[in-house]
Amino acid sequence: NEGIIKVRFSISSVSQALELLNQSKWKDKIESYSENEIIFKLKNEEISYLNRYFVHNDLSVNAIIPVKNLEEYFLDITGKTK
């Protein structure tokens, strides 16, 4: 899964977003969801397309946040690279 990252989308209406996503190619990219956000596994270049898809369908995206695993977080705070 090289080049695939987890991204958290904070969305105005997760229930409406899920309805929309279930009828699209994006449904296979969903990893999990909660009351106010959906986490996707996406290629970097897909992030802007998914954001545009939500906005085009009248859903407000409040935030797009990369989800880091513990190893990435540790490397960030220590200033080291893989």
Side-chain angles (χ1 to χ4, degrees), residues 41-71:
K41 282 189 172 181
L42 300 169
K43 294 177 185 170
N44 199 41
E45 62 270 14
E46 292 177 315
I47 297 169
S48 63
Y49 292 117
L50 181 54
N51 182 50
R52 192 175 307 136
Y53 180 73
F54 284 135
V55 172
H56 180 76
N57 286 283
D58 298 322
L59 289 165
S60 297
V61 176
N62 302 318
I64 302 171
I65 306 159
V67 178
K68 295 186 177 194
N69 64 34
L70 287 176
E71 179 186 13

Side-chain angles (χ1 to χ4, degrees), residues 5-6 11 13 15 21 37 39 48 60 63 65 72 75 81:
I5 57 175
K6 286 185 190 180
I11 301 172
S13 174
S15 60
L21 291 166
E37 66 186 27
I39 297 177
S48 63
S60 297
I65 306 159
E72 291 167 330
L75 294 173
T81 58

Side-chain angles (χ1 to χ4, degrees), residues 14-48:
V14 168
S15 60
Q16 283 181 319
L18 290 171
E19 272 185 46
L20 187 66
L21 291 166
N22 281 329
Q23 302 166 28
S24 74
K25 67 176 186 173
W26 298 107
K27 72 177 179 182
D28 296 333
K29 308 279 186 171
I30 299 170
E31 180 176 270
S32 62
Y33 59 90
S34 66
E35 188 177 317
N36 56 2
E37 66 186 27
I38 303 173
I39 297 177
F40 295 89
K41 282 189 172 181
L42 300 169
K43 294 177 185 170
N44 199 41
E45 62 270 14
E46 292 177 315
I47 297 169
S48 63

